[in-house]
Amino acid sequence: MTRTKGTLVAENKESLLGGFKAFLMRGNVIDLAVAVVIGAAFTNIVNSVVKGIINPVVGAFGTKDLESYSSCIKGSCVVVNGEVQGVQLQWGLVFSAMLSFLITAGVVYFLMVLPMAKILAKRAAHDKAREGVAETMEISELEVLKEIRDHLVAQRGPSVGAGTGATPSSNGSGSSTASGTHPTS
């Protein structure tokens, strides 16, 4: 069976499109997309809180806004025509970004990760308890079946051929009509 180049290309296109469609339809991709969008919106909120509230509060204890703190490492940091002359380290800007990161990480941990971990732990404990109940039911069913077997053996009396005399199912002629099954323990 020979295939032409056109049919191979068409089959590859269909498999690529089918694979791409399967990739997009996975729940993980959709969850990831939602997480990225919410994360971006949340980052804007945290950055606004840091720039609008925390930086001015820190600046109130100093002489200026937190992001305005800097040090010169080469030359004098003089502003000429709106440009800073010299080499300036803007450590206040870095410190502000670190505060934004810490606040974001703290909120994500305490409001999302920690509660989710508690929910998953409760679910795992519930599943483990359910498995324990199922195992207990299986064991108790086995014990009940053993008790029924022992009770039936006790009702039937001594086994045939044990040398104890006549069995309950003798027919009067001295021969036994037992079924020939022997109880097992």
Side-chain angles (χ1 to χ4, degrees):
M1 186 183 291
T2 60
R3 294 185 183 176
T4 63
K5 188 176 180 180
T7 59
L8 284 175
V9 170
E11 286 178 7
N12 285 341
K13 243 185 204 180
E14 288 177 14
S15 65
L16 284 176
L17 290 176
F20 184 66
K21 181 180 176 184
F23 171 73
L24 288 179
M25 296 309 290
R26 280 192 215 160
N28 296 348
V29 174
I30 295 170
D31 291 343
L32 182 61
V34 169
V36 167
V37 170
I38 290 177
F42 182 70
T43 301
N44 286 336
I45 292 171
V46 171
N47 288 338
S48 297
V49 168
V50 169
K51 287 180 182 179
I53 298 173
I54 293 176
N55 287 351
V57 169
V58 171
F61 293 107
T63 57
K64 50 190 168 185
D65 191 21
L66 179 62
E67 289 186 2
S68 300
Y69 284 100
S70 63
S71 300
C72 289
I73 60 171
K74 185 175 181 183
S76 61
C77 292
V78 180
V79 178
V80 178
N81 295 332
E83 285 189 30
V84 176
Q85 301 293 322
V87 178
Q88 184 179 24
L89 289 178
Q90 296 179 334
W91 57 270
L93 190 64
V94 173
F95 190 66
S96 176
M98 287 175 26
L99 280 174
S100 293
F101 172 77
L102 289 175
I103 291 171
T104 303
V107 169
V108 166
Y109 179 76
F110 289 111
L111 294 182
M112 295 177 193
V113 173
L114 197 59
M116 184 58 81
K118 287 181 181 181
I119 290 170
L120 291 176
K122 284 182 182 180
R123 180 178 286 171
H126 180 68
D127 290 346
K128 188 175 181 180
R130 185 182 294 165
E131 288 175 9
V133 168
E135 287 179 14
T136 303
M137 288 177 58
E138 288 176 9
I139 291 172
S140 63
E141 286 177 6
L142 184 60
E143 292 297 320
V144 167
L145 289 173
K146 285 181 181 179
E147 288 178 13
I148 292 171
R149 178 201 63 200
D150 293 343
H151 184 67
L152 289 173
V153 167
Q155 276 184 345
R156 201 160 82 193
S159 62
V160 178
T164 59
T167 62
S169 60
S170 64
N171 58 10
S173 63
S175 64
S176 174
T177 59
S179 64
T181 59
H182 296 283
T184 57
S185 300

